[in-house]
Amino acid sequence: MKVKDAMHKGVDWVSPDTPITEIAKLMRAHDIGCIPIGEDDKLVGMVTDRDIVCKGLAGNGFDASRAKARDVMTDGIHCCREDDDLAKAVHHMETLKVRRLPVINKSKRMVGMISLGDISHSSHATSGDLVSEYVKSVAAHH
């Protein structure tokens, strides 16, 4: 099974200057836990709900009404390709200890997002034990 067969399609990104309050509203509206951050037509980072809490709200002097994505985002971005085998993507997630990855096409354009939920819903169609073990590993508390 390929990543494109399991991923969420139509994912958008926001700029580093997007207010945190707007990002939180997008997360709530779409029932998601992360938003990719892009600048000059390139992905540059990711903001997760955990970033907002741990790097933002729990920090000293954090003003949520003025904070921007760049204030809490995790710089750099790891991706997988839509044509990658699902097991390869899951192994990449396990190595990075992340629960989701942006998906890019051959032109390096973001075309979707793959998450543990996507993988677990499609794991019946994959080579079971390998993917199942990776999902358990990535999902484990760390």
Side-chain angles (χ1 to χ4, degrees):
M1 180 176 243
K2 299 292 184 186
V3 168
K4 65 184 170 190
D5 299 321
M7 72 182 190
H8 248 67
K9 295 178 175 87
V11 176
D12 290 323
W13 50 271
V14 300
S15 86
D17 293 321
T18 303
I20 290 299
T21 52
E22 184 177 325
I23 290 173
K25 288 175 184 174
L26 284 170
M27 288 178 175
R28 180 182 62 197
H30 297 286
D31 192 27
I32 55 177
C34 74
I35 303 279
I37 308 301
E39 190 169 47
D40 298 326
D41 204 30
K42 185 192 298 186
L43 291 174
V44 296
M46 185 85 74
V47 171
T48 66
D49 44 9
R50 183 171 165 73
D51 290 331
I52 293 171
V53 172
C54 295
K55 294 178 184 175
L57 296 174
N60 293 332
F62 182 78
D63 182 354
S65 66
R66 294 180 163 207
K68 307 284 186 206
R70 73 174 70 254
D71 299 325
V72 298
M73 76 181 199
T74 300
D75 290 324
I77 196 138
H78 295 275
C79 307
C80 61
R81 294 190 181 270
E82 65 181 346
D83 291 327
D84 286 347
D85 286 329
L86 191 56
K88 178 182 176 184
V90 174
H91 180 68
H92 191 53
M93 293 168 74
E94 177 189 28
T95 301
L96 296 169
K97 294 188 177 7
V98 298
R99 298 168 187 224
R100 55 188 75 87
L101 284 174
V103 180
I104 59 173
N105 63 15
K106 291 177 184 170
S107 302
K108 297 185 179 179
R109 298 263 184 227
M110 188 174 67
V111 294
M113 185 81 70
I114 188 84
S115 71
L116 282 181
D118 299 327
I119 293 162
S120 66
H121 288 114
S122 58
S123 64
H124 65 278
T126 62
S127 58
D129 291 341
L130 178 64
V131 174
S132 177
E133 287 305 311
Y134 285 147
V135 170
K136 287 178 190 172
S137 173
V138 175
H141 180 71
H142 52 275

